Amino acid sequence: MKKIGILLVGILLISITAGCIGGKTSSSSSTLMTQSTSSTGGTTTSSPISTTSTTTTTSPPLKKYTREELLGLAKSIKYFTFTDNTTMNIQLTLKVNGTIMQRQNITFELKRKAYVDLKNRIAEVNGTTHVYPNGGSSVSHQVVVGDTIYIATNGITQEINNATIANLTWNYNPVSFAVLYLTEKPNRTEFVNGTQFLYYTISNEDLRNMMSMFSPLKGTNVSVWNGILELRFKNGKLISERTMYEFKLVMMMNRNEVIEVGKVYDEIHIYDFDVKKHVNIPEKSVKA
């Protein structure tokens, strides 16, 4: 999930394909002429007898690529588009002077559509976030150019110049994240109807970086665990990713302790490989 993806700044946004290998049947007909003789007139007539011969051809089996081949193909991707659906379930606890004053279950659902130009380091993402059970929602638009992030919300565009934050986009977008883990041997692999599945354990360091895309971690005690990455390939092409992990955040706010324990599920679908698209760079902005 990764996640991965394009970054969200300043908000606590808690971000088998079946293929049939079929045969094809073709038919060819030939007509043989046979002769029959009339018993009365002694005339000879010809009558056609049709026979059909059938040949069957089968499609070649879908190739199972080596990890090195998958890595090489992923590295060659320069432009791509992806959709990202993230669900974050949180149990929030508020403690005042050590006494639990509030406990609430919250679910964040984040939907994003993003375009990434790895060659020129330009990215654009449009996202919508819904919060349950309160029913709140927000819409965001972000553009990342090199080390600069533009975030548009409520008619105001903020400009953030921070290489550390921007690099989360360049290191944790779906393609770069897949390349990072394809350099390692997976925990498990599957090959189902032409789709290859590779499974990895996400490192705690990467999980912490992924969490920082959703929430500023300064002054926050962060614990992360059970990170799982699933990569899916079809004909050697990276088509989707799924990430799952758990976390715990402990932070102090106005001398009150806020504890958030949650799980994140992220599913990404990737398409439009090497299709270059235009991104409008915001002109007016407020520097943050």
Side-chain angles (χ1 to χ4, degrees):
M1 14 214 188
K2 285 167 179 249
K3 192 174 136 289
I4 289 168
I6 308 293
L7 102 125
L8 293 171
V9 179
I11 307 174
L12 185 57
L13 290 178
I14 302 295
S15 115
I16 291 179
T17 302
C20 296
I21 305 177
K24 184 168 62 177
T25 302
S26 61
S27 299
S28 61
S29 298
S30 62
T31 301
L32 302 181
M33 301 300 293
T34 63
Q35 290 184 330
S36 62
T37 302
S38 171
S39 59
T40 57
T43 60
T44 300
T45 62
S46 297
S47 60
I49 299 176
S50 296
T51 63
T52 301
S53 62
T54 301
T55 59
T56 301
T57 61
T58 58
S59 302
L62 294 174
K63 177 181 176 179
K64 182 178 181 180
Y65 290 74
T66 66
R67 180 168 54 88
E68 291 74 15
E69 288 175 320
L70 296 175
L71 176 60
L73 290 169
K75 282 184 174 181
S76 69
I77 299 171
K78 302 304 178 186
Y79 319 99
F80 64 95
T81 300
F82 70 90
T83 58
D84 182 5
N85 293 326
T86 301
T87 300
M88 184 173 289
N89 298 308
I90 303 172
Q91 183 183 76
L92 185 148
T93 302
L94 173 63
K95 290 185 178 181
V96 178
N97 296 324
T99 301
I100 296 177
M101 301 299 293
Q102 181 182 355
R103 181 169 285 163
Q104 183 179 7
N105 292 322
I106 305 173
T107 297
F108 288 81
E109 290 186 354
L110 171 64
K111 296 182 182 295
R112 293 180 287 178
K113 182 177 180 179
Y115 165 73
V116 181
D117 177 345
L118 291 175
K119 182 178 180 180
N120 300 294
R121 286 166 55 91
I122 299 174
E124 181 177 29
V125 58
N126 291 289
T128 303
T129 304
H130 296 282
V131 185
Y132 303 98
N134 297 328
S137 63
S138 64
V139 177
S140 66
H141 175 75
Q142 299 169 50
V143 174
V144 184
V145 182
D147 296 337
T148 303
I149 307 104
Y150 301 91
I151 305 173
T153 54
N154 300 322
I156 298 175
T157 300
Q158 295 188 64
E159 178 182 330
I160 302 173
N161 293 287
N162 189 308
T164 300
I165 296 176
N167 280 336
L168 294 173
T169 295
W170 309 126
N171 296 333
Y172 290 92
N173 64 78
V175 170
S176 297
F177 197 64
V179 168
L180 175 65
Y181 277 85
L182 281 170
T183 59
E184 304 176 8
K185 184 179 179 180
N187 298 334
R188 180 166 60 93
T189 63
E190 293 179 356
F191 188 68
V192 181
N193 292 332
T195 300
Q196 288 182 249
F197 298 80
L198 281 71
Y199 297 90
Y200 292 89
T201 298
I202 304 175
S203 71
N204 285 353
E205 179 183 358
D206 287 330
L207 289 178
R208 289 175 61 88
N209 288 332
M210 290 157 59
M211 282 299 303
S212 69
M213 290 190 289
F214 300 108
S215 171
L217 301 180
K218 185 176 181 180
T220 303
N221 188 314
V222 183
S223 300
V224 287
W225 62 94
N226 287 348
I228 299 173
L229 168 64
E230 176 193 273
L231 302 177
R232 295 187 187 187
F233 298 84
K234 190 79 169 181
N235 294 327
K237 182 177 293 185
L238 177 66
I239 59 172
S240 69
E241 294 180 13
R242 289 196 300 171
T243 59
M244 295 150 278
Y245 58 94
E246 300 177 59
F247 68 91
K248 180 179 180 180
L249 305 178
V250 180
M251 64 196 84
M252 298 301 297
M253 300 178 63
N254 299 324
R255 298 183 180 180
N256 299 326
E257 185 179 35
V258 178
I259 304 170
E260 297 178 352
V261 179
K263 296 181 179 181
V264 178
Y265 174 84
D266 192 18
E267 183 158 357
I268 293 172
H269 296 278
I270 311 164
Y271 57 99
D272 282 355
F273 293 97
D274 293 327
V275 176
K276 188 174 182 179
K277 301 179 181 180
H278 178 70
V279 175
N280 290 318
I281 310 302
E283 295 181 357
K284 297 180 179 180
S285 62
V286 176
K287 290 191 176 183

